[in-house]
Amino acid sequence: MNTSVTVSLRALVAAVLVLLVVVAAYLLGGAGSTEAAATPVPAAATASARDLARGQVPGTLTMTGEGEAVGVPHQLAFRVAVTRKEPTVPAAMDAASRTMGRVLAALERAGVERKDVQSTGLSVDPVYDYVDYRPPVLTGYRVNQSVSVLVRDLGDGGEAISTATRTGGNAVRVSGIGLRIGDKDALLATARDAAVEAATAKAEQYAAATGQELGTVLTLTEGREAVAATRDQVRGYELARMAADSAGANMAVPIRAGREDLAVNVSIVWQLVPAAD
């Protein structure tokens, strides 16, 4: 009985060993076939966008370029506010609305289109008279109405400002005067083209110096645009002062357009490839 049990255990152990050998051979064979099928992956294909931007990926070239475009402002924008004080809210509202209505009608006659005038604010505030050692006394209500105005032809801008101040008198305040370029997107497109050309020219030079060529563009990043006005452009507070001076003289506000310089910065990463024979 003991002899038969011993023989059975030996047979079981032998079978287990044979099975382990077969499994090990299968696993080793699978690992070998996987290694043989593997292909190298280019570093640029697995690199992160941050590594590419920093130029830390072998086989790539990062270069920056700047492009500029010069534009002359041909539009004028400003804000008109009308303030009226009356004993009651309805009276103050009526007075402010009548004054603003006259101003808007005058602007329309001066060539400003209705679509270029937009209401921007309305406020109603109580007005108190403060006397020493006495409670404040309500003396009335102040209503303020404001609109933004766009003059599409800069040549009409000075007359529009003077018209608003002459029509509204002391109840009118003009602020936020600024010159604008109507089609800024076209200028930015020109600056972008120039920035890419500048970056590409430098990159081609470096690639050729190392016996390589530019391949596929991997990333392209645009920096924030910079807008700088020349000193010839009249600033807002100067225009506001001129508006006040010109109102009494019944003349248009003098305006000089000057120019604006728009700059765009780009950073481009290329894949480098061997130069063609």
Side-chain angles (χ1 to χ4, degrees), residues 47-57 62 219 269:
S48 66
R50 180 179 299 178
D51 291 338
L52 286 172
R54 293 177 177 176
Q56 297 177 343
V57 179
T62 302
T219 64
V269 181

Side-chain angles (χ1 to χ4, degrees), residues 73-133:
H74 59 277
Q75 295 180 351
L76 179 71
F78 60 94
R79 291 191 297 271
V80 177
V82 170
T83 303
R84 294 296 302 267
K85 175 181 174 293
E86 298 293 339
T88 65
V89 172
M93 288 286 293
D94 289 343
S97 296
R98 287 196 299 269
T99 302
M100 180 62 80
R102 292 196 300 270
V103 171
L104 296 182
L107 287 174
E108 188 172 355
R109 291 192 298 270
V112 178
E113 300 182 21
R114 288 191 176 186
K115 66 178 181 180
D116 294 328
V117 179
Q118 182 179 20
S119 297
T120 57
L122 171 65
S123 63
V124 181
D125 301 297
V127 180
Y128 293 93
D129 186 11
Y130 294 90
V131 182
D132 292 341
Y133 308 109

Side-chain angles (χ1 to χ4, degrees), residues 164-178:
T165 55
R166 285 196 303 266
T167 304
N170 293 333
V172 168
R173 295 292 181 270
V174 176
S175 63
I177 302 173

Side-chain angles (χ1 to χ4, degrees), residues 239-254:
L239 288 175
R241 176 180 54 79
M242 292 177 181
D245 296 340
S246 300
N250 196 29
M251 60 179 291
V253 176

Side-chain angles (χ1 to χ4, degrees), residues 147-245:
V147 296
S148 63
V149 180
L150 175 64
V151 182
R152 296 186 179 273
D153 187 348
L154 184 59
D156 298 331
E159 179 60 30
I161 294 175
S162 298
T163 296
T165 55
R166 285 196 303 266
T167 304
N170 293 333
V172 168
R173 295 292 181 270
V174 176
S175 63
I177 302 173
L179 305 180
R180 294 184 180 181
I181 296 177
D183 193 4
K184 186 177 290 186
D185 290 340
L187 286 177
L188 284 175
T190 301
R192 291 187 181 105
D193 289 341
V196 172
E197 290 178 2
T200 303
K202 291 188 291 184
E204 289 176 342
Q205 181 180 1
Y206 280 111
T210 57
Q212 302 176 90
E213 293 181 353
L214 298 181
T216 303
V217 173
L218 301 177
T219 64
L220 189 153
T221 306
E222 178 180 301
R224 184 177 300 178
E225 65 174 275
V227 180
T230 63
R231 293 184 178 180
D232 291 336
Q233 182 173 329
V234 181
R235 300 190 181 276
Y237 70 88
E238 294 177 350
L239 288 175
R241 176 180 54 79
M242 292 177 181
D245 296 340

